[in-house]
Amino acid sequence: MPEAVIRPASEEDLPAIVAMLADDPLGAARESPDDLTPYRAAYRQLAADPNQHVMVAVRDGRVVGTLQLTFIPGLSRKGALRSVIEGVRVHADERGSGLGTRFIEWAVERSRAEGCRLVQLTSDATRKDAHRFYERLGFTASHVGFKLAL
Amino acid sequence: MPEAVIRPASEEDLPAIVAMLADDPLGAARESPDDLTPYRAAYRQLAADPNQHVMVAVRDGRVVGTLQLTFIPGLSRKGALRSVIEGVRVHADERGSGLGTRFIEWAVERSRAEGCRLVQLTSDATRKDAHRFYERLGFTASHVGFKLAL
């Protein structure tokens, strides 16, 4: 199997990315893969912001993973830059292939190269497998993640 | 007691902000209120980024609270804009005054006005009082927050 390539997402990758966002127990109810209009608008906003990095993993010309890495400057921790990982998805065919590990390790290394002192992410409390996965990669489940839908 | 004013932080507010960041069981070990150099550099980066809003609450000419509100565009949830609240501090003298509630409600309203569909934050698992506070304000502790220090 050829090695997957990790690269910035292009607008042409949107159908494959949205299909992965929707192919998920939580995502199924909140995505609209049949209407890409809102995703195209969001993609353009993301592409124009130097702190936003929507990435894809591509194997054999096929998009098989996605994540969003965001850099957030801040005052706390002596003005530390931090990164946030959101929207992590690996194609159903690729689960167990080690791609998820490689992708998160890529995001951690990219954060280190940018000068971040902290990488953070939240994972839905029901995603127990994901929690074990992040702990194996060295993350600590030190926080409670609160959300308020508007 | 006059009503507190919520406004964007200026560089002149940094000593008061950093003093509040440091006056905290977790912050004491990770801030350097005697050397503002790293905070000034971070402040300038924040001030230049239209998605970052470092705010202060001022009562009687005195800075008594701070928080950072960050807007993050994304593809998931049909290209939803979300906001993240970080670095919330209320001066020790003001605890119990309702300022924290007013400040978070301000951040929620500002997020709604910006078109966010979600407001999120993480709180250290040891801050039990903070958890009750966010739940009273309508937030749901639906996620686990993972961090990796670099």
Side-chain angles (χ1 to χ4, degrees):
Chain A
M1 197 156 67
E3 183 81 322
V5 172
I6 294 170
R7 62 158 172 78
S10 72
E11 200 166 336
E12 290 66 49
D13 298 321
L14 282 178
I17 293 173
V18 177
M20 284 189 292
L21 292 175
D23 180 24
D24 173 271
L26 298 172
R30 54 195 193 204
E31 306 297 345
S32 67
D34 298 335
D35 176 14
L36 293 180
T37 315
Y39 300 96
R40 290 194 196 287
Y43 177 82
R44 285 166 198 167
Q45 210 179 341
L46 288 157
D49 182 341
N51 282 329
Q52 308 296 340
H53 302 272
V54 180
M55 306 298 299
V56 287
V58 180
R59 199 192 299 275
D60 260 344
R62 180 165 163 257
V63 174
V64 289
T66 184
L67 66 74
Q68 177 176 345
L69 182 65
T70 299
F71 296 118
I72 305 186
L75 294 177
S76 59
R77 300 169 186 246
K78 301 181 197 174
L81 185 69
R82 67 181 71 199
S83 68
V84 176
I85 301 172
E86 286 274 359
V88 180
R89 293 291 187 282
V90 167
H91 195 282
D93 297 353
E94 287 270 339
R95 287 177 199 152
S97 73
L99 177 64
T101 297
R102 223 188 111 217
F103 214 172
I104 298 297
E105 286 175 344
W106 174 89
V108 169
E109 283 316 306
R110 180 75 181 73
S111 300
R112 199 189 303 274
E114 194 77 14
C116 293
R117 277 184 259 159
L118 197 66
V119 184
Q120 64 191 49
L121 60 91
T122 66
S123 179
D124 193 283
T126 63
R127 298 193 198 266
K128 300 293 184 196
D129 289 352
H131 302 173
R132 282 187 288 271
F133 168 75
Y134 290 117
E135 284 179 331
R136 278 198 304 274
L137 289 171
F139 285 81
T140 307
S142 54
H143 283 61
V144 180
F146 290 87
K147 309 243 174 187
L148 173 68
L150 298 183
Chain B
M1 196 158 67
E3 183 81 324
V5 173
I6 294 171
R7 63 158 172 79
S10 73
E11 201 168 334
E12 290 66 47
D13 298 321
L14 282 179
I17 293 172
V18 176
M20 284 188 292
L21 292 175
D23 181 25
D24 174 89
L26 298 171
R30 55 194 193 205
E31 306 298 345
S32 67
D34 298 334
D35 176 15
L36 293 179
T37 316
Y39 300 96
R40 291 195 196 286
Y43 177 82
R44 284 165 198 168
Q45 210 179 342
L46 288 157
D49 181 341
N51 282 329
Q52 309 297 340
H53 301 272
V54 181
M55 306 299 298
V56 285
V58 179
R59 197 192 302 272
D60 258 344
R62 180 167 163 256
V63 174
V64 290
T66 182
L67 64 74
Q68 177 177 342
L69 182 65
T70 299
F71 296 118
I72 305 186
L75 294 177
S76 57
R77 298 168 186 250
K78 300 183 196 171
L81 185 68
R82 67 182 72 198
S83 69
V84 176
I85 301 172
E86 287 275 359
V88 180
R89 293 292 185 283
V90 168
H91 195 282
D93 298 352
E94 288 269 343
R95 288 180 198 148
S97 73
L99 177 63
T101 297
R102 223 189 111 215
F103 215 172
I104 298 297
E105 285 175 345
W106 174 89
V108 169
E109 283 317 305
R110 180 74 181 75
S111 301
R112 200 189 304 273
E114 193 76 14
C116 293
R117 276 184 260 157
L118 197 65
V119 184
Q120 63 190 51
L121 60 93
T122 66
S123 179
D124 193 283
T126 63
R127 298 192 199 267
K128 300 294 183 195
D129 288 352
H131 303 173
R132 282 187 288 271
F133 168 75
Y134 291 118
E135 283 178 333
R136 277 199 304 273
L137 288 171
F139 286 81
T140 306
S142 54
H143 283 62
V144 180
F146 289 87
K147 309 245 174 185
L148 174 67
L150 298 183

